[in-house]
Amino acid sequence: MITLLRTYWSTFLTGFGWTILSSCIALVASLLIGSIMAVFEVVPNKTLRTIGTVYVEIFRNIPLLVIVSFFYLVIPMYVVKINGFTAGTIGLTIYTSAFIAETVRSGIKSINIGQMEASRAMGMKYVQAMRFIVLPQAFKVVIPPLGNQFINLVKNSSVLAFVAGFDLMYQGNAIASQTFATVNTYLIVGAFYLVITLPISYYMRHLEKRLA
Amino acid sequence: MSMIEFRKVQKYYGKFHALKDIDLEIDKGETVVLIGPSGSGKSTLARSVNGLETIQSGQLIVNGRDIADKKTDINRIRTDVGMVFQHFNLYANKDVLENIMIAPRIVLKMNEDENKKNAMALLDQVGLADKAHNMPSQISGGQAQRVAIARSLAMKPRCMLFDEPTSALDPEMIDDVLGVIKYVTSQSDMTSLIVTHEMGFAQEVANRVIFMDDGQILEDDKTDVFFKNPSNERARQFLSKIISH
Amino acid sequence: MQNWINAYSAMNLRFLFKGLLVTLEISIVSVILSMIFGSILGIVRYTKIPWLSEIVGFIIDIIRNLPLLLIIFFVYFGLPSLGFKPDTIVAAIFAMTVFESMMIAEIIRSGIGAVNRGQLEASRAVGMKYYQAMWHVILPQAYKNMIPALVSQLISLIKDTSLATIIVTPELMQHAQVIYGQNANYIVPMYLALAVLYFIVCYSLSIISRIIDRKMA
């Protein structure tokens, strides 16, 4: 295993880098889209509410692999040529944003209605009350579940391997098929994933305990 | 003949010394009320009698068996000692009747017909026979506490612990619950230890009153002596504060 | 237009449907096994048995924080070196069960933790043993509260079976790939079919969960 790591360390690290890059881009983008969709789901406007609900329900109930493969195969055929990394990251973003929307929405719901009423009574517009009073409180509540979403995101980014997305799992597959040291290679790949996910997981549990 | 006996009992929560050198004897058939400010250790003392709190040293003998002894079957003691909690703790997944019947069934292996007859009789005693098939969430706090008392009595205990049984109740519900407790304690062979803030009730039912503060027993007197002329200064202060309200 | 009609030929639809059945088969077997193992592990972790609970907790944390895809590879490539060569469906079920048991163990642990502590005390106070209190009082309440979390875990399990296509398990995703592998014009119709089929299965489950939840509240 040591020899394997020594020979292929740069390949592992490259994959690790792409995995982190893809996860971070998808995290930022899906936080943005997810929050917008979450707000859509709770506003009084019926059209927006329908858009939000439909978006969330569709993408939560279709496998990530289907979404990612669709972007990888179909978009280049009809729209624009994109590589596996881009297709994978877009797919990850869309899939994750649906879950983030759900998390943020329940966060908003958990904020006492009195907060909104008090803000409106002070003359704030709905958007202002949302932006300055409700959402900041909601985000505090949803930090632990969002952390879990991020862990899922990092784990899910392994589907990039299906679409040649250069990520950790993809590089692992490549090394495994070259060296036939399959089990050892995947042990190292696993360790790399744990380097990201375990600390977040423990930190989130610590946060949950403190908030409870 | 003593039912409960504490001998030099010490209890710690980490570094916090919750029970300090407790010596206490409660005889069979006695009704003892335990009072004191919050955090004084009175609930801890009551809860240690059936082993919900474990003591670190000393002896605690309940119905002739030492609780601190590892060889003692704690579940055997618990069938002899009933407990009523401040927050009732009715089993949320069982209806009222099942709440009463489950422990006799699985712990005492009581015959089902006898169990049911017994449970209905107890419900009748606490005035709630018509609530037998309600869920705990569908009855009031006062009713829940009366069910909880019936649940304890179903085990035919020799001794009852009441841990602030009326503290979580709305004022208008308290009397019904106290009435049931009074009936339970009045039975000649029942030993009771009651943690409460209801001084009028204490005066009425207790043979003895124990005052605790800071993990220690500061006063242990016959009821009338205690209320007329407590010897301990802190007990006196505590009484004057409570009674002036 | 002709492409779409050809893509959805009776033969292709039957083939897709066969894949869907395998997907459901893997999901149902895995979820039953995972509920059993997950409950045991979750209770062990909650119970704080010296050493055992810590070791179990550590294993749960490690596996939960790895990609399922990696577990599938481990099972598929690792088991043969232990002298056991499973077929692809068994390998998929094995991998899903290992992974999902850990996820469910975590749900069970927090579900038990969420049951009011007084319930355990009241059970112990009447002389019930720990396992009796768990079985008769704590677990029924915990499972009831956990139904939404368990159903959403089931939904993600069903979606995750699509990953088993990597070891050529003949499930829905794999069958769709076989069909569009013959003709690139079938790609879009096949992805639409995949989306619709997975959506119908998963969305109906989430609706059922919501109805149960509302009924019980």
Side-chain angles (χ1 to χ4, degrees), chain C residues 29-40:
Chain C
V29 175
S30 312
V31 82
I32 292 171
L33 294 176
S34 313
M35 280 292 285
I36 297 169
F37 294 125
S39 298
I40 296 170

Side-chain angles (χ1 to χ4, degrees), chain B residues 47 50 75 78 81 85 89-94 102-103 106-107 151 155, chain C residues 116 118-119 121-129 132 136-138 140-141:
Chain B
R47 288 161 57 88
N50 67 351
N75 291 318
R78 283 168 173 164
V81 182
F85 298 86
N89 296 345
L90 290 187
Y91 309 131
N93 57 323
K94 312 256 178 224
I102 181 165
I106 67 177
V107 179
R151 176 174 70 175
M155 300 295 287
Chain C
N116 189 328
Q119 298 283 319
E121 288 188 345
S123 314
R124 300 284 288 172
V126 289
M128 286 191 217
K129 298 195 178 73
Q132 290 176 319
H136 291 283
V137 178
I138 310 295
Q141 296 182 49

Side-chain angles (χ1 to χ4, degrees), chain C:
Chain C
M1 193 58 209
Q2 195 55 43
N3 279 334
W4 288 76
I5 294 169
N6 291 344
Y8 293 143
S9 71
M11 199 180 76
N12 285 353
L13 286 183
R14 214 176 304 130
F15 192 58
L16 273 185
F17 190 68
K18 252 191 199 155
L20 180 61
L21 285 184
V22 173
T23 288
L24 294 178
E25 179 194 334
I26 295 174
S27 306
I28 291 168
V29 175
S30 312
V31 82
I32 292 171
L33 294 176
S34 313
M35 280 292 285
I36 297 169
F37 294 125
S39 298
I40 296 170
L41 293 173
I43 293 168
V44 168
R45 188 174 198 185
Y46 176 82
T47 304
K48 302 212 169 63
I49 305 162
W51 289 100
L52 186 61
S53 296
E54 270 118 57
I55 294 168
V56 166
F58 183 68
I59 294 171
I60 293 174
D61 283 340
I62 295 289
I63 296 181
R64 257 165 42 85
N65 283 296
L66 287 172
L68 172 58
L69 194 53
L70 192 69
I71 314 278
I72 294 176
F73 282 138
F74 263 124
V75 168
Y76 192 64
F77 295 114
L79 280 189
S81 65
L82 297 174
F84 173 57
K85 196 158 172 26
D87 82 358
T88 54
I89 294 182
V90 175
I93 290 175
F94 196 103
M96 304 293 293
T97 303
V98 168
F99 185 72
E100 292 298 328
S101 298
M102 306 305 159
M103 301 302 266
I104 289 179
E106 198 52 22
I107 295 174
I108 304 266
R109 183 184 72 106
S110 61
I112 297 173
V115 174
N116 189 328
R117 218 184 139 66
Q119 298 283 319
L120 182 61
E121 288 188 345
S123 314
R124 300 284 288 172
V126 289
M128 286 191 217
K129 298 195 178 73
Y130 185 81
Y131 76 88
Q132 290 176 319
M134 269 287 163
W135 183 253
H136 291 283
V137 178
I138 310 295
L139 285 180
Q141 296 182 49
Y143 278 114
K144 197 178 143 188
N145 295 336
M146 287 180 314
I147 287 175
L150 289 172
V151 174
S152 77
Q153 200 54 45
L154 171 61
I155 291 174
S156 66
L157 190 153
I158 292 171
K159 291 186 296 174
D160 285 346
T161 53
S162 60
L163 296 176
T165 185
I166 198 114
I167 54 170
V168 211
T169 309
E171 44 70 62
L172 182 55
M173 181 86 193
Q174 160 68 19
H175 277 197
Q177 285 172 330
V178 169
I179 294 171
Y180 70 67
Q182 299 159 359
N183 184 339
N185 288 323
Y186 295 169
I187 290 180
V188 179
M190 279 306 118
Y191 274 95
L192 184 70
L194 281 178
V196 169
L197 288 174
Y198 279 114
F199 181 81
I200 290 174
V201 173
C202 297
Y203 189 63
S204 346
L205 275 173
S206 70
I207 300 256
I208 293 171
S209 150
R210 242 173 273 170
I211 292 172
I212 296 175
D213 203 34
R214 208 170 304 144
K215 276 232 174 100
M216 297 207 311

Side-chain angles (χ1 to χ4, degrees), chain A residues 16 20 143-144 147-148 150-151 154-155 190-208, chain C residues 58 61-62 64-66:
Chain A
F16 188 62
I20 290 181
I143 282 177
N148 291 331
F150 183 59
I151 294 172
V154 174
K155 293 193 296 174
F192 271 108
Y193 278 108
L194 290 177
V195 166
I196 318 175
T197 53
L198 258 191
I200 305 174
S201 164
Y202 281 124
Y203 182 63
M204 288 307 147
R205 192 172 299 159
H206 166 78
L207 266 190
E208 266 170 48
Chain C
F58 183 68
D61 283 340
I62 295 289
R64 257 165 42 85
N65 283 296
L66 287 172

Side-chain angles (χ1 to χ4, degrees), chain A residues 15-16 18-24 26 64 68 88-89 92 96 150-163 165-170 193 196, chain C residues 67 69:
Chain A
F16 188 62
W18 284 107
T19 288
I20 290 181
L21 183 64
S22 165
S23 303
C24 288
L64 172 62
V68 167
T89 307
L92 262 179
T96 309
F150 183 59
I151 294 172
N152 286 338
L153 173 57
V154 174
K155 293 193 296 174
N156 285 336
S157 71
S158 60
V159 301
L160 263 67
F162 280 91
V163 294
F166 316 135
D167 70 309
L168 194 46
M169 188 65 82
Y170 174 79
Y193 278 108
I196 318 175
Chain C
L69 194 53

Side-chain angles (χ1 to χ4, degrees), chain A residues 67-125:
Chain A
I67 300 172
V68 167
S69 310
F70 177 84
F71 276 96
Y72 183 59
L73 294 172
V74 177
I75 299 297
M77 269 165 45
Y78 300 100
V79 193
V80 57
K81 235 181 149 38
I82 50 175
N83 63 12
F85 178 81
T86 315
T89 307
I90 294 174
L92 262 179
T93 302
I94 291 177
Y95 183 77
T96 309
S97 65
F99 285 89
I100 289 186
E102 210 33 36
T103 310
V104 174
R105 187 188 66 98
S106 63
I108 295 174
K109 289 266 178 189
S110 76
I111 303 304
N112 192 317
I113 185 101
Q115 297 289 317
M116 174 59 86
E117 284 174 352
S119 316
R120 300 302 297 273
M122 302 293 289
M124 284 188 221
K125 296 199 180 69

